[in-house]
Structures are given as C-alpha cells and as structure tokens.
Amino acid sequence: AVGIAFAVWLAVVGVTRYCRYPPEAQDKVDVGGLLDTNYEMIYRLQPDLIVLPISESLQKSKLGKMGFRTMEIKEKSVQGILESWRELGEALGAGDRAETLAAGIEKQIEDIRSSVQGLPRPHVVGRDQNLVFLLITRSVSRAAPFPAPRNLLP
C-alpha cells in the first residue's frame, strides 16, 4: 500500500515501522506497529486517509472511532492487491496512474506465465507450523534438507 501511494505521487505522512519500501518511506513519521500503534501520533498527523490490510479490523474500528477515514487493502492475493491499488487510486484522485501501474504488473505476470507455459512446475515445500515456505529446485531429489528455524514466538 505504501509503495502504490508513493507511486501515484501522494503525500504520505506516516508509516508503520515495518515499511521499508520505497526507500522514501523510511523518512516518514513512524506510527508504530500492529501491537503498539501510536494513536497519539496518528491524531497529530491528521491524515486524510489511513490504508490498512484487510486483516486489521481492530485497527480499522479504533481509527474509525477517532474519526479517520480508512481503506482496506486485500493483501491475501496478487489479484486482491491489484484491485486494491485501483480502488486506492480512485479514492485519491489518481485512478489513471494506479490503473497504469496495476495493468503493468498484470502484463508482467502474463508475460511470465507465457514464458513458462509447458515447463514442469517447481516443487514447493512448506512447513506451515513454522511459517516457512521454501521454493526448492525443479527436482525434489536435488533439494537439500533444511532445518526448520526456531520459533521465536511464545
């Protein structure tokens, strides 16, 4: 969401501490994270719109009660992200620019699909309980075993 906001030349005033892209995001006011949102700082910034992942319904509720306009980004799929880009662009008067960017991404995806059509699909190995997903080689027999990382969360 931050990337598209910068891409359509919007005045981004604050970001979460996790926003690292584009590099300009690191120069913006840090409003905390999911578990330690700095609502006082958000109030001081008085943003016209706050963009949140769709999974952050608690944040949306709190910010709505504070009188802020929010918009949710559908972050679970590429199609959802691109749809959200278009909606964000429309909401902020930059619909043409957002459409151009989204259409460019869709073309890149289609170009990649076309270039790999007919090739064997890669094997994907996942360890859901540790939130680890690794793209292994096209041949499982060449895949080296990787130890699961330690779970750092309690």
Side-chain angles (χ1 to χ4, degrees):
V2 175
I4 189 65
F6 276 98
V8 296
W9 302 293
L10 299 174
V12 176
V13 294
V15 297
T16 69
R17 79 166 51 83
Y18 306 107
C19 293
R20 298 286 176 245
Y21 178 83
E24 296 92 336
Q26 296 178 43
D27 297 331
K28 300 300 176 182
V29 175
D30 178 339
V31 296
L34 172 64
L35 300 177
D36 63 343
T37 304
N38 187 336
Y39 293 103
E40 292 84 4
M41 180 58 70
I42 293 172
Y43 190 79
R44 275 188 247 144
L45 292 171
Q46 287 296 303
D48 296 319
L49 178 68
I50 299 173
V51 181
L52 305 162
I54 203 164
S55 58
E56 301 304 323
S57 58
L58 180 60
Q59 299 288 28
K60 180 181 177 182
S61 175
K62 287 181 179 181
L63 293 165
K65 287 177 184 174
M66 292 172 68
F68 291 111
R69 178 178 165 211
T70 62
M71 181 175 179
E72 296 174 311
I73 296 293
K74 302 168 195 103
E75 83 279 6
K76 300 291 184 189
S77 70
V78 172
Q79 192 58 40
I81 291 168
L82 295 175
E83 182 182 319
S84 295
W85 281 13
R86 288 179 169 106
E87 291 170 2
L88 179 59
E90 286 297 324
L92 297 170
D96 291 342
R97 180 75 176 133
E99 177 59 39
T100 299
L101 292 168
I105 296 293
E106 288 171 334
K107 182 177 181 337
Q108 289 177 10
I109 291 169
E110 189 52 43
D111 290 347
I112 291 168
R113 280 190 180 128
S114 295
S115 71
V116 299
Q117 188 173 9
L119 295 176
R121 296 189 72 146
H123 299 282
V124 177
V125 176
R127 292 192 55 138
D128 194 29
Q129 69 274 17
N130 291 314
L131 302 176
V132 174
F133 290 89
L134 301 170
L135 176 64
I136 308 302
T137 65
R138 292 197 182 279
S139 167
V140 172
S141 63
R142 293 189 337 212
F146 292 98
R150 290 184 309 126
N151 186 352
L152 301 177
L153 300 175

